[in-house]
Amino acid sequence: RGLSIADQQLVEIAKALSFDARILVMDEPTAALSGVEVERLFGVARSLCERGAAVLFISHRFDEVFDLCQRITVLRDGAWVSTDRTADLTVDEVVRRMVGREVSSLYPKQDAPLRDVLLEVRGLGRAGVFADVSFTVRGGEIVALAGLVGAGRSEVARAIFGVDRYDAGEVRVAGELLPAGSPRRAIAAGMALVPEDRRQQGLVMELSVERNATLARRRALSRLGLLLGGAERSEAQRWTRRLQVKASRLGAAVATLSGGNQQKVVLAKWLATEPRVLIIDEPTRGIDVGTKAEVHRLLSELANEGLAILMISSELPEVLGMADRILVMHEGRVVRELSRAEADETTVMFAATGQGVTA
């Protein structure tokens, strides 16, 4: 449990490979891996195939599917749609089959008017993890924290929200100074955090969709210490409808939902608190392309409504497609700030790998 999500994923893969299986099912194995780790995994998968093993690779990352697989089977809403040779398909065609309609844009980012600074981070540091992290996020703005796995992005987000303590610096929300290590005060000030691991950190998997969607509003929905069932149900319905959560019923266990719908429930839980600052870590990890577009559209709408959004993502197209500004981290420090106009994959990766960064 002490390992990062990426390291946990590598351990799971190693465990599966240790059985010397003839059939290996890999379900989103690269969701938390860096580019180098993905290449290493693909090398192992190819060597297994050469030795006669069969690999079933399940992924929403099209570049990886087209790189590794010889055939592609598309499922939609639990039903088989098609099976074709990879060489006979294009990404656009696979997307159309997956969502059942044309997807004009996966990144429907709208330009929103910039408002006052809502999140201000100054000189934030934690010994051995990150140092001298400073930036601001305005209302109406989406700022992305980019970098390689282990650069310290999630650790900075957790420190800002108060989950982890920091040794130096300060965090302000709308000018209010927040004490270190106090999520309660952060929430009261109008901050929300959607963590990178929704199953372990964002949801209580045994509880219902309704209960999870209102977890951050328990006190407001109670009277004399008793939770009002009608108020809880009404609040859950409001947000699950807005986010178009697909569930058989609100009383169903959240564990029965798809990854994309689980992510929507985490978002519903925090949006119900009506935050001014939203920190969202890996917003579309492990969810299908149609739901990705829905999440991106929601983020754009929230920015338009005046929220300040700090987005952490390991997917460069997502960073480039959704962010107004990009802060690139390398070994615990912000080494480059890029506007939407000047950012491209080469520039971001150049900074993320420490190229041109002086000690």
PDB file of all heavy atoms in Angstrom, residues 72-84 89 92-101:
ATOM      1  N   ILE A  72      -8.410  -6.002 -33.311  1.00  0.00           N
ATOM      2  CA  ILE A  72      -9.111  -5.133 -32.366  1.00  0.00           C
ATOM      3  C   ILE A  72     -10.594  -5.505 -32.340  1.00  0.00           C
ATOM      4  O   ILE A  72     -11.254  -5.532 -33.383  1.00  0.00           O
ATOM      5  CB  ILE A  72      -8.965  -3.642 -32.753  1.00  0.00           C
ATOM      6  CG1 ILE A  72      -7.492  -3.226 -32.709  1.00  0.00           C
ATOM      7  CG2 ILE A  72      -9.809  -2.756 -31.828  1.00  0.00           C
ATOM      8  CD1 ILE A  72      -7.238  -1.805 -33.192  1.00  0.00           C
ATOM      9  N   THR A  73     -11.093  -5.787 -31.145  1.00  0.00           N
ATOM     10  CA  THR A  73     -12.519  -6.034 -30.932  1.00  0.00           C
ATOM     11  C   THR A  73     -13.095  -4.856 -30.165  1.00  0.00           C
ATOM     12  O   THR A  73     -12.544  -4.438 -29.149  1.00  0.00           O
ATOM     13  CB  THR A  73     -12.748  -7.334 -30.142  1.00  0.00           C
ATOM     14  OG1 THR A  73     -12.342  -8.450 -30.942  1.00  0.00           O
ATOM     15  CG2 THR A  73     -14.209  -7.502 -29.770  1.00  0.00           C
ATOM     16  N   VAL A  74     -14.200  -4.319 -30.663  1.00  0.00           N
ATOM     17  CA  VAL A  74     -14.852  -3.173 -30.024  1.00  0.00           C
ATOM     18  C   VAL A  74     -16.135  -3.632 -29.343  1.00  0.00           C
ATOM     19  O   VAL A  74     -16.948  -4.349 -29.939  1.00  0.00           O
ATOM     20  CB  VAL A  74     -15.184  -2.075 -31.064  1.00  0.00           C
ATOM     21  CG1 VAL A  74     -15.938  -0.918 -30.406  1.00  0.00           C
ATOM     22  CG2 VAL A  74     -13.914  -1.572 -31.729  1.00  0.00           C
ATOM     23  N   LEU A  75     -16.303  -3.236 -28.072  1.00  0.00           N
ATOM     24  CA  LEU A  75     -17.537  -3.481 -27.324  1.00  0.00           C
ATOM     25  C   LEU A  75     -18.188  -2.138 -27.015  1.00  0.00           C
ATOM     26  O   LEU A  75     -17.512  -1.142 -26.795  1.00  0.00           O
ATOM     27  CB  LEU A  75     -17.249  -4.212 -26.010  1.00  0.00           C
ATOM     28  CG  LEU A  75     -16.524  -5.554 -26.077  1.00  0.00           C
ATOM     29  CD1 LEU A  75     -16.293  -6.094 -24.666  1.00  0.00           C
ATOM     30  CD2 LEU A  75     -17.334  -6.551 -26.892  1.00  0.00           C
ATOM     31  N   ARG A  76     -19.504  -2.123 -26.996  1.00  0.00           N
ATOM     32  CA  ARG A  76     -20.239  -0.925 -26.581  1.00  0.00           C
ATOM     33  C   ARG A  76     -21.462  -1.340 -25.781  1.00  0.00           C
ATOM     34  O   ARG A  76     -22.258  -2.162 -26.217  1.00  0.00           O
ATOM     35  CB  ARG A  76     -20.670  -0.099 -27.802  1.00  0.00           C
ATOM     36  CG  ARG A  76     -21.367   1.202 -27.410  1.00  0.00           C
ATOM     37  CD  ARG A  76     -21.653   2.108 -28.603  1.00  0.00           C
ATOM     38  NE  ARG A  76     -22.698   1.588 -29.460  1.00  0.00           N
ATOM     39  CZ  ARG A  76     -22.513   1.165 -30.695  1.00  0.00           C
ATOM     40  NH1 ARG A  76     -21.299   1.189 -31.225  1.00  0.00           N
ATOM     41  NH2 ARG A  76     -23.518   0.695 -31.416  1.00  0.00           N
ATOM     42  N   ASP A  77     -21.594  -0.757 -24.574  1.00  0.00           N
ATOM     43  CA  ASP A  77     -22.728  -1.053 -23.683  1.00  0.00           C
ATOM     44  C   ASP A  77     -22.881  -2.550 -23.452  1.00  0.00           C
ATOM     45  O   ASP A  77     -24.004  -3.091 -23.437  1.00  0.00           O
ATOM     46  CB  ASP A  77     -24.033  -0.476 -24.255  1.00  0.00           C
ATOM     47  CG  ASP A  77     -23.995   1.048 -24.336  1.00  0.00           C
ATOM     48  OD1 ASP A  77     -23.284   1.660 -23.516  1.00  0.00           O
ATOM     49  OD2 ASP A  77     -24.674   1.614 -25.216  1.00  0.00           O
ATOM     50  N   GLY A  78     -21.750  -3.235 -23.278  1.00  0.00           N
ATOM     51  CA  GLY A  78     -21.776  -4.657 -22.955  1.00  0.00           C
ATOM     52  C   GLY A  78     -22.013  -5.581 -24.131  1.00  0.00           C
ATOM     53  O   GLY A  78     -22.150  -6.803 -23.939  1.00  0.00           O
ATOM     54  N   ALA A  79     -22.065  -5.055 -25.337  1.00  0.00           N
ATOM     55  CA  ALA A  79     -22.331  -5.883 -26.515  1.00  0.00           C
ATOM     56  C   ALA A  79     -21.189  -5.781 -27.523  1.00  0.00           C
ATOM     57  O   ALA A  79     -20.540  -4.747 -27.650  1.00  0.00           O
ATOM     58  CB  ALA A  79     -23.641  -5.449 -27.179  1.00  0.00           C
ATOM     59  N   TRP A  80     -20.971  -6.891 -28.244  1.00  0.00           N
ATOM     60  CA  TRP A  80     -19.940  -6.937 -29.283  1.00  0.00           C
ATOM     61  C   TRP A  80     -20.354  -6.060 -30.458  1.00  0.00           C
ATOM     62  O   TRP A  80     -21.507  -6.089 -30.898  1.00  0.00           O
ATOM     63  CB  TRP A  80     -19.746  -8.384 -29.747  1.00  0.00           C
ATOM     64  CG  TRP A  80     -18.781  -8.557 -30.890  1.00  0.00           C
ATOM     65  CD1 TRP A  80     -17.431  -8.710 -30.823  1.00  0.00           C
ATOM     66  CD2 TRP A  80     -19.119  -8.625 -32.285  1.00  0.00           C
ATOM     67  NE1 TRP A  80     -16.902  -8.862 -32.083  1.00  0.00           N
ATOM     68  CE2 TRP A  80     -17.915  -8.801 -32.998  1.00  0.00           C
ATOM     69  CE3 TRP A  80     -20.320  -8.531 -32.989  1.00  0.00           C
ATOM     70  CZ2 TRP A  80     -17.881  -8.906 -34.384  1.00  0.00           C
ATOM     71  CZ3 TRP A  80     -20.292  -8.630 -34.373  1.00  0.00           C
ATOM     72  CH2 TRP A  80     -19.073  -8.816 -35.058  1.00  0.00           C
ATOM     73  N   VAL A  81     -19.435  -5.271 -30.968  1.00  0.00           N
ATOM     74  CA  VAL A  81     -19.698  -4.403 -32.116  1.00  0.00           C
ATOM     75  C   VAL A  81     -18.963  -4.893 -33.358  1.00  0.00           C
ATOM     76  O   VAL A  81     -19.553  -5.050 -34.425  1.00  0.00           O
ATOM     77  CB  VAL A  81     -19.300  -2.940 -31.825  1.00  0.00           C
ATOM     78  CG1 VAL A  81     -19.463  -2.064 -33.072  1.00  0.00           C
ATOM     79  CG2 VAL A  81     -20.130  -2.379 -30.678  1.00  0.00           C
ATOM     80  N   SER A  82     -17.643  -5.179 -33.211  1.00  0.00           N
ATOM     81  CA  SER A  82     -16.871  -5.589 -34.384  1.00  0.00           C
ATOM     82  C   SER A  82     -15.536  -6.182 -33.974  1.00  0.00           C
ATOM     83  O   SER A  82     -15.050  -5.943 -32.877  1.00  0.00           O
ATOM     84  CB  SER A  82     -16.623  -4.394 -35.319  1.00  0.00           C
ATOM     85  OG  SER A  82     -15.801  -3.429 -34.660  1.00  0.00           O
ATOM     86  N   THR A  83     -14.962  -6.966 -34.890  1.00  0.00           N
ATOM     87  CA  THR A  83     -13.593  -7.475 -34.762  1.00  0.00           C
ATOM     88  C   THR A  83     -12.923  -7.347 -36.123  1.00  0.00           C
ATOM     89  O   THR A  83     -13.457  -7.843 -37.132  1.00  0.00           O
ATOM     90  CB  THR A  83     -13.559  -8.942 -34.300  1.00  0.00           C
ATOM     91  OG1 THR A  83     -14.172  -9.051 -33.012  1.00  0.00           O
ATOM     92  CG2 THR A  83     -12.115  -9.443 -34.215  1.00  0.00           C
ATOM     93  N   ASP A  84     -11.770  -6.659 -36.164  1.00  0.00           N
ATOM     94  CA  ASP A  84     -11.065  -6.442 -37.432  1.00  0.00           C
ATOM     95  C   ASP A  84      -9.561  -6.490 -37.208  1.00  0.00           C
ATOM     96  O   ASP A  84      -9.074  -6.318 -36.075  1.00  0.00           O
ATOM     97  CB  ASP A  84     -11.424  -5.068 -38.021  1.00  0.00           C
ATOM     98  CG  ASP A  84     -12.875  -4.946 -38.424  1.00  0.00           C
ATOM     99  OD1 ASP A  84     -13.215  -5.383 -39.536  1.00  0.00           O
ATOM    100  OD2 ASP A  84     -13.668  -4.432 -37.615  1.00  0.00           O
ATOM    101  N   LEU A  89      -7.963  -0.730 -39.775  1.00  0.00           N
ATOM    102  CA  LEU A  89      -8.718   0.250 -38.996  1.00  0.00           C
ATOM    103  C   LEU A  89      -7.937   1.555 -38.832  1.00  0.00           C
ATOM    104  O   LEU A  89      -6.717   1.591 -38.963  1.00  0.00           O
ATOM    105  CB  LEU A  89      -9.048  -0.312 -37.609  1.00  0.00           C
ATOM    106  CG  LEU A  89     -10.033  -1.489 -37.545  1.00  0.00           C
ATOM    107  CD1 LEU A  89     -10.064  -2.054 -36.140  1.00  0.00           C
ATOM    108  CD2 LEU A  89     -11.425  -1.044 -37.981  1.00  0.00           C
ATOM    109  N   ASP A  92     -10.057   6.998 -35.826  1.00  0.00           N
ATOM    110  CA  ASP A  92     -11.371   7.628 -35.978  1.00  0.00           C
ATOM    111  C   ASP A  92     -12.481   6.594 -36.120  1.00  0.00           C
ATOM    112  O   ASP A  92     -13.573   6.749 -35.554  1.00  0.00           O
ATOM    113  CB  ASP A  92     -11.388   8.560 -37.193  1.00  0.00           C
ATOM    114  CG  ASP A  92     -10.583   9.831 -36.950  1.00  0.00           C
ATOM    115  OD1 ASP A  92     -10.240  10.092 -35.770  1.00  0.00           O
ATOM    116  OD2 ASP A  92     -10.291  10.551 -37.916  1.00  0.00           O
ATOM    117  N   GLU A  93     -12.202   5.535 -36.865  1.00  0.00           N
ATOM    118  CA  GLU A  93     -13.207   4.499 -37.062  1.00  0.00           C
ATOM    119  C   GLU A  93     -13.480   3.755 -35.753  1.00  0.00           C
ATOM    120  O   GLU A  93     -14.637   3.457 -35.422  1.00  0.00           O
ATOM    121  CB  GLU A  93     -12.742   3.516 -38.141  1.00  0.00           C
ATOM    122  CG  GLU A  93     -13.703   2.357 -38.388  1.00  0.00           C
ATOM    123  CD  GLU A  93     -15.084   2.817 -38.832  1.00  0.00           C
ATOM    124  OE1 GLU A  93     -15.189   3.882 -39.478  1.00  0.00           O
ATOM    125  OE2 GLU A  93     -16.066   2.126 -38.509  1.00  0.00           O
ATOM    126  N   VAL A  94     -12.426   3.458 -34.975  1.00  0.00           N
ATOM    127  CA  VAL A  94     -12.605   2.779 -33.686  1.00  0.00           C
ATOM    128  C   VAL A  94     -13.406   3.654 -32.725  1.00  0.00           C
ATOM    129  O   VAL A  94     -14.298   3.176 -32.021  1.00  0.00           O
ATOM    130  CB  VAL A  94     -11.239   2.408 -33.067  1.00  0.00           C
ATOM    131  CG1 VAL A  94     -11.418   1.840 -31.661  1.00  0.00           C
ATOM    132  CG2 VAL A  94     -10.517   1.390 -33.950  1.00  0.00           C
ATOM    133  N   VAL A  95     -13.100   4.952 -32.705  1.00  0.00           N
ATOM    134  CA  VAL A  95     -13.842   5.881 -31.842  1.00  0.00           C
ATOM    135  C   VAL A  95     -15.319   5.885 -32.205  1.00  0.00           C
ATOM    136  O   VAL A  95     -16.195   5.820 -31.331  1.00  0.00           O
ATOM    137  CB  VAL A  95     -13.252   7.306 -31.947  1.00  0.00           C
ATOM    138  CG1 VAL A  95     -14.170   8.311 -31.252  1.00  0.00           C
ATOM    139  CG2 VAL A  95     -11.870   7.359 -31.329  1.00  0.00           C
ATOM    140  N   ARG A  96     -15.626   5.962 -33.493  1.00  0.00           N
ATOM    141  CA  ARG A  96     -17.028   5.958 -33.938  1.00  0.00           C
ATOM    142  C   ARG A  96     -17.746   4.705 -33.474  1.00  0.00           C
ATOM    143  O   ARG A  96     -18.897   4.760 -33.033  1.00  0.00           O
ATOM    144  CB  ARG A  96     -17.099   6.094 -35.453  1.00  0.00           C
ATOM    145  CG  ARG A  96     -16.909   7.514 -35.969  1.00  0.00           C
ATOM    146  CD  ARG A  96     -17.312   7.628 -37.426  1.00  0.00           C
ATOM    147  NE  ARG A  96     -16.368   6.934 -38.288  1.00  0.00           N
ATOM    148  CZ  ARG A  96     -15.282   7.507 -38.806  1.00  0.00           C
ATOM    149  NH1 ARG A  96     -15.010   8.767 -38.547  1.00  0.00           N
ATOM    150  NH2 ARG A  96     -14.470   6.823 -39.590  1.00  0.00           N
ATOM    151  N   ARG A  97     -17.085   3.569 -33.573  1.00  0.00           N
ATOM    152  CA  ARG A  97     -17.715   2.318 -33.165  1.00  0.00           C
ATOM    153  C   ARG A  97     -17.894   2.238 -31.651  1.00  0.00           C
ATOM    154  O   ARG A  97     -18.886   1.686 -31.163  1.00  0.00           O
ATOM    155  CB  ARG A  97     -16.884   1.133 -33.651  1.00  0.00           C
ATOM    156  CG  ARG A  97     -16.813   1.007 -35.160  1.00  0.00           C
ATOM    157  CD  ARG A  97     -16.003  -0.188 -35.590  1.00  0.00           C
ATOM    158  NE  ARG A  97     -15.832  -0.242 -37.042  1.00  0.00           N
ATOM    159  CZ  ARG A  97     -15.239  -1.228 -37.680  1.00  0.00           C
ATOM    160  NH1 ARG A  97     -14.743  -2.255 -36.992  1.00  0.00           N
ATOM    161  NH2 ARG A  97     -15.127  -1.206 -38.999  1.00  0.00           N
ATOM    162  N   MET A  98     -16.951   2.787 -30.905  1.00  0.00           N
ATOM    163  CA  MET A  98     -17.021   2.727 -29.444  1.00  0.00           C
ATOM    164  C   MET A  98     -18.163   3.568 -28.882  1.00  0.00           C
ATOM    165  O   MET A  98     -18.849   3.149 -27.949  1.00  0.00           O
ATOM    166  CB  MET A  98     -15.700   3.194 -28.827  1.00  0.00           C
ATOM    167  CG  MET A  98     -14.561   2.213 -28.975  1.00  0.00           C
ATOM    168  SD  MET A  98     -13.020   2.853 -28.289  1.00  0.00           S
ATOM    169  CE  MET A  98     -13.414   2.922 -26.546  1.00  0.00           C
ATOM    170  N   VAL A  99     -18.351   4.751 -29.422  1.00  0.00           N
ATOM    171  CA  VAL A  99     -19.350   5.659 -28.848  1.00  0.00           C
ATOM    172  C   VAL A  99     -20.664   5.647 -29.610  1.00  0.00           C
ATOM    173  O   VAL A  99     -21.660   6.207 -29.147  1.00  0.00           O
ATOM    174  CB  VAL A  99     -18.808   7.100 -28.752  1.00  0.00           C
ATOM    175  CG1 VAL A  99     -17.573   7.150 -27.895  1.00  0.00           C
ATOM    176  CG2 VAL A  99     -18.529   7.662 -30.136  1.00  0.00           C
ATOM    177  N   GLY A 100     -20.691   5.025 -30.790  1.00  0.00           N
ATOM    178  CA  GLY A 100     -21.933   4.925 -31.546  1.00  0.00           C
ATOM    179  C   GLY A 100     -22.345   6.217 -32.212  1.00  0.00           C
ATOM    180  O   GLY A 100     -23.490   6.362 -32.645  1.00  0.00           O
ATOM    181  N   ARG A 101     -21.436   7.178 -32.264  1.00  0.00           N
ATOM    182  CA  ARG A 101     -21.734   8.458 -32.901  1.00  0.00           C
ATOM    183  C   ARG A 101     -20.418   9.135 -33.243  1.00  0.00           C
ATOM    184  O   ARG A 101     -19.358   8.716 -32.799  1.00  0.00           O
ATOM    185  CB  ARG A 101     -22.545   9.365 -31.970  1.00  0.00           C
ATOM    186  CG  ARG A 101     -21.786   9.737 -30.695  1.00  0.00           C
ATOM    187  CD  ARG A 101     -22.640  10.552 -29.744  1.00  0.00           C
ATOM    188  NE  ARG A 101     -21.868  11.060 -28.625  1.00  0.00           N
ATOM    189  CZ  ARG A 101     -21.583  10.390 -27.531  1.00  0.00           C
ATOM    190  NH1 ARG A 101     -22.026   9.144 -27.397  1.00  0.00           N
ATOM    191  NH2 ARG A 101     -20.892  10.937 -26.550  1.00  0.00           N
TER     192      ARG A 101
END
